[in-house]
Amino acid sequence: MSILIAGFQHETNTFAPTKADYEKFVHGGGYPPLSRGSELDAIKEMNIPLGGFMKQAEEYGYDLIPVLWAGAAPSAHVTEDAYERICSEILDAVQSNLAALQGVYLDLHGAMVCEHLDDGEGELLARVRALIGNDMPLVASLDLHANVTDLMLESASVLVTYRTYPHVDMADSGLRSAIEMHALLNGEKRYLSYKHWPFLTSINAQCTFIDPAKSTIEFMEQLEKNVASISLTTGFPASDFEGCGGTVWGYGTDQLNIDTAVNILYQRILDDEALWDVAFLSPEEAVAKAIELSKDAKKPVIIADTQDNPGAGGDSNTMGLIKALLAAKATNTAVGLITDPKSVAIAIEAGIGNNVELALGGCDSVPEDSPLVATFKVENISDGCCQYDGPMMNGVKVSVGPTVCLAIDGLKIVACSDKAQMLDRNLFKQAGVIPEDMGIVVVKSSVHFRADFQPIAKEILIAKSPGPLTVDPADIPWKHLKKGIRLKPHGREF
Ligand SMILES: [Zn+2]
């Protein structure tokens, strides 16, 4: 029995400054670079859905036909060129292996908006379905931030998702996909039931380390004991299209059974609506509170600069929080990562130990933001390569390109050449900064940093500094949402 496997991941913030072209997928931007055929074996040991699927499917004894795995850092739209090139490779492989195929598994994100179409995953699943016919199992795993559309649900035999944010269980979602694939190949029937959430939530409210997400997922897993599979996504609330928002869905061996479970879970989310709201601090408030809390503290206070999270489409270069830290005379503070290849090149030219004039960072698309023009001391130069040791992407090797540590007053700023989210302490350490030794640590991340930083943190603060990612969905200039959806918990309707 042969199963064709492929991965194609992108989370699209349609308001972000930069698009994802083909080169971005070739590089990977924090994900493994574009891999084909036997190169996919390297993913097997990583916390990536496709890896979890491969391990479990091989245990069942299936032959796998690996096509490709492509992911790019979250950003604005996927270009038509990138989407069509990557999809064509997958579809050509399905077509040419059709006679030998018993099933298809896809490792997808579920919030891909392209230049030429809104529902990237729905379109890909529908195209695969058109080739393989109605009877062949087509199983896909999705991110917890998937915007799950009717087309996706109607085209796939089964969809499952991650159940954690930070996403420490990505490989497990592949494993669950393999279990469902195995059931389908053994002739089990699956009946679908689903409901879309009537309100949007900020990504900061979606962390499964804390409530309401934590207890909702636990509740869902109790319900799953009586059905084949049940899932929820919180949605990715920065994709301006009709399918944006959370969804609850599942599969049963009969319709009544799964309708009942999905309705119970949906009702719980409605009952808890107020709990899905979140409070944010201004940069000045966050810095003042961090300075106060860090006095006599043995662990660093972490500030999440959430509106410039490159994991959600930011360019990781806004300066608002750094300026607030300098104004408040913060000391023993580390900030990372600032992506600014030009400044990094100038600092490397100047050399370690020397002072250099820079216009550091600054996001062009954010009117309230501007570069920090100042003199910095170059404290460290590195090649930007490291291996993640934290729980989320454990074992994955990444490069953020040539990197420097720049000192100014009480701050150490890690500036690099390529974009990656600060989700692992080794991204600081590769530049000579030990986050555990700092009083305050500012991370360009919304939630993913928690997996590796929460254990070393005295406290975590969420700052809303001007940036390309508007974290409160009620503040976003929406144009294409579904009519009637509430823009935040108990907020006004679109
Ligand atoms: Zn996600």
Side-chain angles (χ1 to χ4, degrees):
M1 289 247 196
S2 293
I3 300 170
L4 183 138
I5 58 172
F8 185 18
Q9 288 228 10
H10 192 260
E11 181 183 73
T12 309
N13 173 350
T14 56
F15 302 97
T18 313
K19 288 182 182 176
D21 59 15
Y22 188 73
E23 279 309 306
K24 297 265 188 345
F25 287 94
V26 170
H27 179 269
Y31 285 120
L34 199 156
S35 318
R36 293 187 172 87
S38 59
E39 291 170 351
L40 269 62
D41 278 342
I43 289 176
K44 220 187 291 180
E45 298 310 317
M46 297 179 192
N47 180 25
I48 284 182
L50 188 99
F53 184 90
M54 289 170 87
K55 274 189 174 171
Q56 187 62 33
E58 284 173 358
E59 209 153 286
Y60 287 134
Y62 296 116
D63 290 326
L64 299 179
I65 303 172
V67 183
L68 61 74
W69 196 93
S75 68
H77 305 74
V78 175
T79 64
E80 179 173 357
D81 172 65
Y83 182 82
E84 294 299 340
R85 278 166 81 175
I86 293 165
C87 281
S88 297
E89 264 192 67
I90 297 170
L91 294 162
D92 288 352
V94 171
Q95 182 71 60
S96 58
N97 288 288
L98 204 49
L101 276 191
Q102 270 82 37
V104 176
Y105 163 71
L106 298 177
D107 171 359
L108 306 174
H109 185 292
M112 186 190 294
V113 184
C114 309
E115 284 176 330
H116 61 311
L117 49 94
D118 281 345
D119 179 8
E121 289 89 353
E123 177 70 22
L124 174 58
L125 288 163
R127 289 186 194 178
V128 172
R129 177 57 77 200
L131 283 180
I132 64 177
N134 286 334
D135 298 331
M136 191 186 294
L138 169 57
V139 177
S141 53
L142 305 171
D143 194 285
L144 187 70
H145 298 108
N147 291 315
V148 179
T149 64
D150 295 0
L151 182 62
M152 289 163 67
L153 289 161
E154 285 157 11
S155 303
S157 313
V158 167
L159 297 174
V160 303
T161 67
Y162 315 160
R163 292 174 174 185
T164 57
Y165 179 33
H167 303 322
V168 293
D169 71 329
M170 290 188 277
D172 285 351
S173 72
L175 181 150
R176 285 197 297 276
S177 300
I179 292 171
E180 280 301 284
M181 177 68 83
H182 187 57
L184 291 165
L185 289 173
N186 282 299
E188 284 189 31
K189 289 268 175 291
R190 289 292 181 264
Y191 294 88
L192 167 70
S193 184
Y194 66 93
K195 277 185 183 296
H196 300 298
W197 296 31
F199 61 92
L200 298 176
T201 65
S202 162
I203 55 171
N204 302 89
Q206 300 172 1
C207 177
T208 59
F209 282 20
I210 48 181
D211 276 336
K214 183 173 185 283
S215 57
T216 308
I217 296 281
E218 286 164 1
F219 183 72
M220 180 183 85
E221 290 185 331
Q222 288 300 316
L223 289 170
E224 195 174 44
K225 291 179 177 163
N226 303 315
V227 297
S229 164
I230 188 161
S231 295
L232 70 84
T233 55
T234 46
F236 180 61
S239 291
D240 191 10
F241 80 116
E242 263 210 310
C244 184
T247 300
V248 174
W249 76 97
Y251 306 89
T253 47
D254 76 69
Q255 192 68 50
L256 179 65
N257 165 260
I258 191 59
D259 283 347
T260 305
V262 164
N263 282 331
I264 290 171
L265 182 56
Y266 181 76
Q267 189 57 47
R268 169 158 177 143
I269 290 165
L270 292 188
D271 292 345
D272 284 351
E273 182 165 344
L275 303 178
W276 290 88
D277 204 4
V278 75
F280 299 98
L281 301 171
S282 72
E284 294 74 23
E285 288 167 341
V287 167
K289 195 165 177 192
I291 290 173
E292 189 55 39
L293 287 167
S294 65
K295 281 179 189 159
D296 309 319
K298 292 195 174 61
K299 292 170 157 190
V301 177
I302 315 277
I303 304 176
D305 191 359
T306 183
Q307 297 212 111
D308 192 28
N309 170 15
D315 274 350
S316 208
N317 59 2
T318 62
M319 290 288 120
L321 211 49
I322 289 177
K323 289 176 184 173
L325 287 160
L326 290 172
K329 301 199 177 347
T331 56
N332 197 26
T333 296
V335 182
L337 297 163
I338 299 295
T339 307
D340 183 348
K342 243 192 226 166
S343 292
V344 169
I346 297 169
I348 290 173
E349 181 75 31
I352 291 181
N354 293 317
N355 286 337
V356 62
E357 291 280 331
L358 296 171
L360 184 66
C363 182
D364 294 340
S365 68
V366 177
E368 306 91 324
D369 194 57
S370 61
L372 172 63
V373 181
T375 304
F376 301 83
K377 186 176 178 193
V378 183
E379 283 205 337
N380 190 291
I381 297 176
S382 76
D383 61 5
C385 296
C386 68
Q387 179 172 315
Y388 291 149
D389 288 335
M392 188 172 153
M393 301 276 270
N394 195 283
V396 173
K397 290 191 175 79
V398 287
S399 166
V400 291
T403 298
V404 292
C405 176
L406 302 168
I408 178 168
D409 297 344
L411 274 55
K412 290 177 191 291
I413 301 169
V414 178
C416 59
S417 303
D418 295 320
K419 213 165 85 161
Q421 183 174 179
M422 179 52 81
L423 54 77
D424 195 289
R425 281 180 260 161
N426 285 353
L427 286 171
F428 273 117
K429 290 179 182 170
Q430 57 90 15
V433 176
I434 310 298
E436 295 86 335
D437 293 346
M438 308 305 294
I440 300 171
V441 175
V442 175
V443 293
K444 295 277 188 184
S445 175
S446 293
V447 170
H448 279 152
F449 71 95
R450 286 181 188 263
D452 200 31
F453 286 85
Q454 195 150 299
I456 65 155
K458 174 175 171 61
E459 189 148 338
I460 289 171
L461 309 174
I462 314 290
K464 206 166 105 175
S465 184
L469 172 71
T470 305
V471 286
D472 189 339
D475 294 343
I476 294 178
W478 299 103
K479 287 197 180 77
H480 307 293
L481 283 184
K482 188 167 49 194
K483 290 279 173 243
I485 194 164
R486 291 189 282 287
L487 297 181
K488 64 186 292 177
H490 294 304
R492 70 187 161 86
E493 287 183 7
F494 182 71

